[in-house]
Amino acid sequence: NGTAIVATDVPDLKWETTFNLNVGIDFGLNNDRLSGSLDVYRNKTRDLLLRTPPAAPAVDPFQFGNVDASILNQGIELSVGYDFVQSANTTFSANFNIAYNQNEVQDFQSAVNTGAINGQGLTGAFAQRLESGRSLFSYYMAVFEGFDGNGLPIYEDIDGNGVGDPSADKKFVGEDGLPDVTSGLSLNFRSGNWDASTYFSGQFGFSVYNNTANGFFTGGSIGNSRNVTQNVVTSGESGSASADVSTRFLEKGDFVRFQNASIGYNVPLTGEGLFKTLRLSLTGQNLFLITDYSGLDPEVTSATGDLGSGVPTRGIDWAAYPNPRTITFGLNASF
């Protein structure tokens, strides 16, 4: 009493294995005033770990197993740094990095629905599928084509039966939750007792499923006396329309973020007073964000569920708290 089996034992279970190939070059010119590196890589992971249903007559919820499939990641990374000003009293430098990654599932003989979507009327709904020939977290859903004269949604007819059904007419829409390109830029300045630094980050080539809008901001929410955004009122959507998973709520997540900036001043002291050193600083985090995403923050992922597969969630925004903006004043002193 009080105990229960939660998973079936798999004696030959093993860790995933990754074979990595990497070729790189580091360079420096003019006494390393200009420096950087270039790396080309190819990583292939085999023996994928997934949750799978145990064989009958077992009644356990799941078992872990190694799936005969592989995940390929390959790409290129470049970083460059340059010291624009080098003097005894003043320095100014910049560092830039950019990386491109291609991800693909290979040799998988099945298909697993992933990316659970939450909300009223969305029980069991999903937005992604794990399948060979596609990247991880690839979006698989109905294609939204607008509203008809009655305010009901229209979906692309995939199977050719003359009716666009959001449950039956699903397809890979050519988008996924993994960025193809990531980049960063840092600037560093010092002159006398003053110093300052900034950092910008960016991600490009990925999409975010706005589960928050799908679950809350629809015409049906108005009929249920729930708060909605202004665009729902003017969209022409009927209050009786169903809010199925579709490209209606799929958005580009590309962004550039002013990640942080700081400025500091080392107060000149004679060393004969109370303090030996005194430094004042002001630091800001997440100062501004440039993006077309309509939600609060495209760089967010909510754990909406795995539908029993064990595949984690990526690229789904479900009532998530955004990255906060913070301003910090610092005072450092030694006695």
Side-chain angles (χ1 to χ4, degrees), residues 287-326:
L287 294 176
F288 67 76
L289 177 69
I290 302 174
T291 182
D292 288 333
Y293 178 59
S294 66
L296 296 177
D297 197 326
E299 193 180 18
V300 65
T301 290
S302 306
T304 60
D306 60 13
L307 300 173
S309 68
V311 178
T313 303
R314 176 66 186 253
I316 297 177
D317 181 4
W318 170 236
Y321 192 83
N323 291 311
R325 179 180 296 115
T326 61

Side-chain angles (χ1 to χ4, degrees), residues 217-292:
F217 306 139
T218 62
S221 295
I222 300 177
N224 293 326
S225 301
R226 292 182 171 88
N227 293 327
V228 297
T229 51
Q230 184 65 34
N231 64 299
V232 177
V233 180
T234 59
S235 67
E237 180 185 6
S238 170
S240 61
S242 61
D244 298 284
V245 175
S246 72
T247 55
R248 173 186 174 189
F249 305 102
L250 186 63
E251 305 181 40
K252 290 291 186 181
D254 299 2
F255 70 87
V256 173
R257 187 189 305 276
F258 192 0
Q259 191 73 45
N260 61 63
S262 65
I263 184 170
Y265 179 68
N266 296 307
V267 179
L269 301 174
T270 62
E272 299 177 356
L274 177 63
F275 301 114
K276 291 183 179 180
T277 63
L278 180 63
R279 175 178 170 79
L280 307 177
S281 64
L282 185 66
T283 302
Q285 299 279 349
N286 191 30
L287 294 176
F288 67 76
L289 177 69
I290 302 174
T291 182
D292 288 333

Side-chain angles (χ1 to χ4, degrees), residues 130-148:
L130 179 68
E131 188 173 302
S132 186
R134 305 285 178 174
S135 67
L136 287 172
F137 313 108
S138 287
Y139 291 106
Y140 181 83
M141 60 186 64
V143 177
F144 177 72
E145 296 183 333
F147 297 105
D148 63 17

Side-chain angles (χ1 to χ4, degrees), residues 85-93 188-191:
V85 179
Q86 290 179 326
S87 68
N89 193 55
T90 302
T91 62
F92 175 61
S93 63
N188 300 280
F189 173 79
R190 180 187 64 81
S191 182

